[in-house]
Amino acid sequence: METGNGPALQPLLCLAWLAATLPILAAALPIPAAAGGRFLHSLLAAFSSRGKTVRPSSSSSSSSKAKFTVPQKYFLHFYVVGVAVTTSLLLAICFYAYMKMTPLLPEPSSYSTIASHLIGSNSFSFGSVLSRTMEHKYRVWRTVFVLLLMEIQVLRRLYETENVFHYSPSARMHIVGYLTGLFYYTAAPLSLASSCLPEAIDFIRGQIVEFIVKGRARMPDLVIDSPSLLKPLLKLGWCQWIGAIIFLWGSLHQIRCHAILGSLRENKDSDEYVIPCGDWFSRVSCPHYLAELVIYLGMLMASGGSDISVWFLFIFVITNLSFAAVQTHRWYLQKFEDYPRSRYAIIPFVL
């Protein structure tokens, strides 16, 4: 059930994720300084710096560094964009799924009708068509499920940015990092929805045209039946529910780690840093990044792992957060003489 613009969306998203991932991978490779390795690493480190890793060490360098930075509190913009994009996609695909993809399974009363059609026909061919139809319905409702997880994620991050984190007035982030964040929270929901978004847009466009032609009086009333809306989600496969459990596990740890980080600076005007402790901080320097990896691993599993754009999204998350975690880990080691040397940057026993 491809539409005219269906084949173009996923490759475009994959190319965008690839373009964002390759520079980070190149900066992480041991490229000789003579070949530009040190310059590339320093450039990416500057672009990804924020908060404590971007704060200048002297007032003389403050004006030059602030020229290409924005306040770190602009993190709020990421989640406003994320909520807006995710909510729009969720409503669009949920409407399409409800109107065209219910019931998820054929009603029992329809089996006799199906059997009667099989008489004198190619039953194997009919069964193949029915199987493809069912698979398509599952894919659409699976997308709704994954977008619900993304909606929970961006809404929680929006709340935490406003109520948990206390950004210092002097905390900055590089403008490239800011633009990357806006790109990410636009492209990530699109990647999660890309497998059925074009057909959902075509359906909604058709509904709008029909409304314009017929007028409101001749359009059927839209009645939302809650059981019909929830049943398809409850009948999804084990892969979706295992993915949801992984997502919730990562979310709980990220909530705890963010609460720990937020509590370190109860005095909002202070620039003083202390060593965070508790939860996964006993193992890694950036457990909130590790939790983010777990969260997106859960989304990947819930998506069924069949959409290549979701894989490219996950690879970007791994490379981007790993690079940022290494920079933060080095900062901790330089800042605190008594920093625990047993901690890893982001993944215990690996990195």
Side-chain angles (χ1 to χ4, degrees):
M1 296 205 178
E2 297 290 349
T3 60
N5 51 350
L9 180 59
Q10 286 192 333
L12 185 63
L13 287 166
C14 291
L15 284 174
W17 290 122
L18 191 62
T21 303
L22 286 179
I24 303 174
L25 289 175
L29 293 175
I31 301 175
R38 183 177 300 175
F39 171 77
L40 182 60
H41 185 277
S42 300
L43 190 65
L44 263 293
F47 287 165
S48 64
S49 61
R50 54 182 178 263
K52 51 185 171 289
T53 60
V54 81
R55 184 172 287 106
S57 57
S58 64
S59 58
S60 61
S61 62
S62 178
S63 59
S64 61
K65 288 194 176 184
K67 185 187 297 185
F68 301 105
T69 63
V70 296
Q72 194 179 7
K73 64 182 180 181
Y74 281 12
F75 255 78
L76 178 69
H77 300 173
F78 300 162
Y79 309 120
V80 170
V81 169
V83 169
V85 175
T86 306
T87 302
S88 300
L89 294 174
L90 178 60
L91 290 175
I93 295 179
C94 194
F95 175 70
Y96 170 62
Y98 180 75
M99 297 297 291
K100 297 291 289 183
M101 301 294 160
T102 52
L104 184 60
L105 297 173
E107 297 295 334
S109 60
S110 67
Y111 284 114
S112 59
T113 305
I114 294 173
S116 65
H117 282 295
L118 290 176
I119 299 175
S121 66
N122 189 333
S123 60
F124 178 80
S125 176
F126 186 89
S128 177
V129 171
L130 183 62
S131 176
R132 288 197 301 270
T133 301
M134 292 299 302
E135 183 181 346
H136 181 63
K137 287 185 176 183
Y138 269 106
R139 179 164 58 83
V140 173
W141 279 105
R142 190 171 63 219
T143 302
V144 173
F145 186 79
V146 175
L147 285 174
L148 281 172
L149 298 182
M150 186 66 180
E151 183 82 347
I152 293 170
Q153 170 72 358
V154 291
L155 284 173
R156 177 178 62 81
R157 295 301 302 272
L158 179 64
Y159 171 83
E160 289 177 335
T161 303
E162 276 287 272
N163 299 282
V164 176
F165 291 111
H166 308 297
Y167 296 118
S168 167
S170 62
R172 315 286 296 180
M173 63 176 163
H174 200 281
I175 186 67
V176 173
Y178 174 71
L179 294 175
T180 300
L182 295 178
F183 156 76
Y184 177 84
Y185 281 99
T186 301
L190 283 171
S191 297
L192 296 173
S194 62
S195 64
C196 60
L197 179 60
E199 64 195 72
I201 292 176
D202 283 349
F203 173 76
I204 294 172
R205 187 187 296 124
Q207 293 293 107
I208 295 172
V209 170
E210 186 179 359
F211 179 84
I212 294 173
V213 172
K214 291 184 176 181
R216 174 65 185 90
R218 298 176 60 187
M219 291 290 291
D221 293 331
L222 177 62
V223 179
I224 303 297
D225 180 34
S226 298
S228 297
L229 192 60
L230 293 175
K231 276 182 181 178
L233 295 175
L234 297 176
K235 291 179 179 179
L236 292 175
W238 61 268
C239 196
Q240 282 68 58
W241 293 108
I242 291 179
I245 291 171
I246 294 173
F247 171 87
L248 292 175
W249 180 51
S251 297
L252 288 174
H253 279 285
Q254 192 172 66
I255 289 170
R256 293 174 185 169
C257 294
H258 283 167
I260 292 170
L261 289 173
S263 67
L264 297 180
R265 291 193 61 258
E266 294 183 354
N267 181 3
K268 298 183 182 181
D269 297 324
S270 173
D271 286 337
E272 189 64 30
Y273 283 94
V274 297
I275 299 175
C277 298
D279 201 72
W280 285 351
F281 277 106
S282 61
R283 296 286 185 180
V284 294
S285 295
C286 299
H288 49 311
Y289 292 168
L290 174 59
E292 190 97 346
L293 297 184
V294 173
I295 287 169
Y296 280 92
L297 175 62
M299 288 191 198
L300 175 64
M301 179 164 286
S303 74
S306 58
D307 298 330
I308 190 171
S309 57
V310 182
W311 279 100
F312 274 86
L313 161 63
F314 185 59
I315 291 170
F316 172 79
V317 170
I318 293 174
T319 55
N320 181 53
L321 293 183
S322 296
F323 187 85
V326 169
Q327 303 306 310
T328 302
H329 183 66
R330 288 175 179 169
W331 183 90
Y332 277 128
L333 292 172
Q334 294 171 0
K335 175 72 174 179
F336 302 104
E337 294 182 358
D338 58 340
Y339 191 75
R341 303 288 166 171
S342 60
R343 292 187 187 180
Y344 288 81
I346 184 171
I347 303 176
F349 309 109
V350 177
L351 180 63

